[in-house]
Amino acid sequence: MKSTQQRAALHRQIWSIANDVRGSVDGWDFKQYVLGTLFYRFISENFVEYITGGDENVDYGAMDDNDELLAGAKDGAIKTKGYFIYPSQLFSTVAKSANKNISLNTDLAKIFSEIENSANGYDSEDDIKGLFADFDTTSNRLGNTVKNKNLKLAAVLKGVVDLELENFEDNDHDLFGDAYEFLISNYAANAGKSGGEFFTPRHVSKLIAQLAMHNQTTVNKIYDPAAGSGSLLLQAKKHFDSHTIEEGFFGQEINHTTYNLARMNMFLHNINYDKFNIKLGNTLTEPHFGDDKPFDAIVSNPPYSIKWIGSDDPTLINDDRFAPAGVLAPKSKADFAFVLHALNYLSSKGRAAIVCFPGIFYRGGAEKKIRQYLVDNNYVETVISLAPNLFFGTTIAVNILVLSKSKIDTTTQFIDATEENTFFKKVTNNNEMTDKHIKEIMDVFDSKENRDYVARSVSYEEISSIEKDYNLSVSSYVEAKDTREVVDIIELNSELKTTVAKIDQLRIDIDAIVSEIESAETQV
């Protein structure tokens, strides 16, 4: 099945589950049950593939949990896969008898707990712990009685059994992330929540990954300080051979539900527990991975202009991430705090590509001082202005800031990627970048050549001049194309003369006709 057809079919099936099953459960909450069940199915099938070696003649689901062979294989399986699933705990086993199981909700809770606990004492413990925390099978949101809870859970299991997911790894599209984005886009408006902070559209993710890893044949590791559901990290894996990223994928996420989804997403794309490290917490005030830096590639779509503690914590000005700039990002707008954090974690050869709110590039005060620090130290490689309406939940025309510590000159590149058809296309209510559009942007980025109405490389002297005063807005350096119709004044004047002459002649003719009529009336 073609990927576009596969996506459409998946969306129809998921929406059918949502409509037929969720009932009174809020859509925003219900999506966790669908995605959690998707994950449960995947790790079950993935584990069976591992434990049987892909031999279809071996029916792992029919084996006894107490089989001596399983006892002997358990330790090695956990060390390799990170967890262990007994035959009775498999998704297929549970789903097969779900409609008749009067203790389905408590059985599922026990299974999820045991899968997580199977990693206790192993290197994978932190990566497995709490993965099913948001899949609360005993919640009253599923129903007020055990019977109602079981009916709803059984229906979700049956719906996911019927989903034609094929292979997550081989498919060009992130089916799990796509399912997540689809559910968010259909529920967020009614729930009053925005999905923009949780999922970066794959076409934007693809561009960011390519920018961060451009011309790097190998990177030690890749990092996202605001990881969301992991879509940016996964695009880096998809776009480049997995061996290019030598030490794995690192990320931190503040939202517990999304943190779990990011870890699930790693497993769903066969990134084993020893190749990723996703941590929970506030990146700005409780940063992880200080001992793992520097990173050769950093990708990020941090939340736009959120509040943070800033100057209310006097110790932060001495933090090695913020101290070099001599000023903290405003308490009401943490954007540059994320930028400075990423810069601190960046290696001397690497790049960071960060989605930014446009206001940070021209506002004054502390943000101007941080821009001055970045420009004076030659860290800003490129600022790219993207088309509006590329993200779910906001119509803002965001920018991408590309940071580098290995620039070969002191110019800064500005790219206006807002021309329709060249850099994006309209798709129903949203805009979208195709691979062709992304390549066009990357070609401009790579060449660093000036291009009328599109790109300009600007000297340090101009950016730091009194006139520009460290303004980094693309519109300050790249002239906007005048799309108004060009009028030939000489030709227009000639046409007016001809028109006036015709009007004068018409008046003469009308006067003659009126004169004849008046003469005739006089004779009568």
Side-chain angles (χ1 to χ4, degrees):
M1 184 186 295
K2 293 182 179 179
S3 58
T4 52
Q5 294 175 320
Q6 188 178 34
R7 287 181 64 216
L10 179 64
H11 290 175
R12 286 194 299 271
Q13 290 172 302
I14 290 175
W15 196 239
S16 176
I17 297 173
N19 282 333
D20 295 344
V21 180
R22 72 180 179 91
S24 61
V25 182
D26 181 89
W28 190 258
D29 297 322
F30 185 75
K31 75 182 189 307
Q32 306 306 336
Y33 292 101
V34 177
L35 294 172
T37 307
L38 275 170
F39 178 67
Y40 177 34
R41 172 181 161 179
F42 175 83
I43 63 169
S44 292
E45 294 176 358
N46 190 269
F47 187 80
V48 170
E49 178 75 15
Y50 162 78
I51 206 76
T52 63
D55 188 346
E56 296 180 358
N57 294 317
V58 178
D59 187 355
Y60 181 71
M63 295 179 68
D64 190 286
D65 287 0
N66 297 315
D67 194 306
E68 291 183 4
L69 289 174
L70 300 188
K74 185 175 181 179
D75 182 69
I78 298 173
K79 288 178 178 177
T80 301
K81 298 301 295 180
Y83 57 89
F84 193 86
I85 303 178
Y86 284 100
S88 66
Q89 298 172 335
L90 291 172
F91 169 81
S92 57
T93 304
V94 175
K96 193 180 300 180
S97 59
N99 288 325
K100 301 175 183 178
N101 187 350
I102 60 174
S103 58
L104 177 63
N105 68 324
T106 53
D107 285 351
L108 280 172
K110 183 180 178 183
I111 288 171
F112 296 157
S113 176
E114 290 181 355
I115 291 174
E116 291 181 9
N117 290 338
S118 70
N120 290 349
Y122 289 84
D123 291 342
S124 59
E125 181 175 350
D126 289 341
D127 300 305
I128 303 298
K129 185 182 296 181
L131 274 175
F132 292 98
D134 294 297
F135 199 127
D136 186 358
T137 63
T138 61
S139 172
N140 285 333
R141 292 177 300 177
L142 290 170
N144 294 323
T145 66
V146 171
K147 181 179 179 181
N148 288 338
K149 290 180 178 69
N150 289 339
L151 285 172
K152 197 148 289 184
L153 288 169
V156 175
L157 289 169
K158 175 63 170 61
V160 172
V161 165
D162 294 335
L163 290 180
E164 298 177 6
L165 296 175
E166 295 186 16
N167 192 304
F168 285 95
E169 176 68 14
D170 295 337
N171 194 275
D172 180 57
H173 290 286
D174 173 4
L175 292 182
F176 181 74
D178 188 73
Y180 179 55
E181 183 182 26
F182 173 74
L183 285 168
I184 285 176
S185 66
N186 279 274
Y187 286 138
N190 293 330
K193 302 176 177 71
S194 170
E197 65 184 289
F198 302 120
F199 191 88
T200 306
R202 56 187 171 273
H203 51 275
V204 181
S205 299
K206 190 176 292 188
L207 172 62
I208 294 169
Q210 291 187 35
L211 287 166
M213 300 182 73
H214 183 63
N215 282 345
Q216 298 195 73
T217 54
T218 61
V219 297
N220 60 353
K221 45 205 165 189
I222 187 166
Y223 168 61
D224 186 345
S229 59
S231 55
L232 282 167
L233 295 173
L234 289 168
Q235 273 301 333
K237 178 183 185 296
K238 287 182 178 183
H239 187 69
F240 297 90
D241 185 273
S242 58
H243 294 94
T244 304
I245 303 171
E246 296 171 342
E247 299 176 43
F249 304 80
F250 295 72
Q252 184 165 345
E253 172 55 37
I254 193 171
N255 180 285
H256 192 277
T257 296
T258 319
Y259 156 71
N260 284 337
L261 286 168
R263 292 189 295 158
M264 288 181 184
N265 229 348
M266 295 296 120
F267 282 109
L268 284 164
H269 290 83
N270 279 331
I271 300 175
N272 215 29
Y273 74 91
D274 58 341
K275 288 298 182 183
F276 75 83
N277 195 345
I278 308 293
K279 296 293 187 182
L280 177 67
N282 188 324
T283 295
L284 300 182
T285 58
E286 305 164 12
H288 289 280
F289 310 120
D291 295 334
D292 295 289
K293 65 181 183 181
F295 294 87
D296 289 344
I298 296 177
V299 292
S300 191
N301 176 21
Y304 308 144
S305 299
I306 61 167
K307 296 178 181 179
W308 75 306
I309 192 169
S311 57
D312 284 346
D313 181 350
T315 66
L316 285 175
I317 194 60
N318 298 316
D319 190 301
D320 64 355
R321 297 170 297 164
F322 311 126
V327 65
L328 296 172
K331 290 188 295 181
S332 61
K333 303 174 182 68
D335 307 72
F336 266 129
F338 284 103
V339 170
L340 292 174
H341 172 90
L343 180 67
N344 179 260
Y345 276 49
L346 187 63
S347 74
S348 59
K349 65 165 257 191
R351 276 196 183 90
I354 308 166
V355 179
C356 296
F357 183 79
I360 71 169
F361 295 106
Y362 59 78
R363 291 190 296 237
E367 291 180 314
K368 181 207 160 185
K369 292 179 181 178
I370 294 173
R371 290 198 303 273
Q372 181 173 350
Y373 162 72
L374 294 174
V375 173
D376 285 351
N377 287 277
N378 203 29
Y379 292 137
V380 182
E381 180 175 2
T382 303
V383 180
I384 305 172
S385 177
L386 296 181
N389 213 24
L390 290 172
F391 288 78
F392 170 75
T394 178
T395 59
I396 297 171
V398 300
N399 291 176
I400 297 178
L401 173 64
V402 182
L403 300 175
S404 172
K405 293 182 178 178
S406 57
K407 290 172 62 180
I408 59 175
D409 58 35
T410 59
T411 63
T412 297
Q413 182 189 39
F414 295 88
I415 300 175
D416 183 342
T418 61
E419 184 178 347
E420 188 175 353
N421 298 324
T422 302
F423 299 114
F424 76 97
K425 68 175 182 177
K426 289 187 180 296
V427 180
T428 59
N429 295 325
N430 291 89
N431 294 327
E432 184 176 301
M433 291 184 293
T434 65
D435 287 346
K436 178 183 176 182
H437 299 137
I438 292 171
K439 183 180 185 304
E440 187 70 31
I441 295 173
M442 290 304 301
D443 287 346
V444 175
F445 172 75
D446 179 62
S447 73
K448 296 294 188 289
E449 294 177 356
N450 292 340
R451 183 168 150 187
D452 288 346
Y453 313 118
V454 173
R456 186 172 167 232
S457 290
V458 182
S459 68
Y460 166 75
E461 289 73 20
E462 180 176 348
I463 294 173
S464 60
S465 67
I466 295 176
E467 180 186 358
K468 298 299 185 182
D469 198 23
Y470 295 96
N471 186 321
L472 293 179
S473 295
V474 173
S475 60
S476 295
Y477 302 96
V478 180
E479 181 185 359
K481 189 174 184 179
D482 191 345
T483 57
R484 293 175 299 179
E485 183 181 356
V486 177
V487 178
D488 187 328
I489 298 300
I490 296 175
E491 182 180 346
L492 179 60
N493 192 46
S494 176
E495 290 177 356
L496 284 172
K497 286 181 179 179
T498 301
T499 302
V500 169
K502 289 180 178 179
I503 292 173
D504 289 342
Q505 183 60 50
L506 181 59
R507 284 174 177 165
I508 292 171
D509 292 343
I510 291 173
D511 288 344
I513 294 171
V514 171
S515 179
E516 288 181 9
I517 294 173
E518 290 176 345
S519 176
E521 289 177 346
T522 301
Q523 292 176 3
V524 171

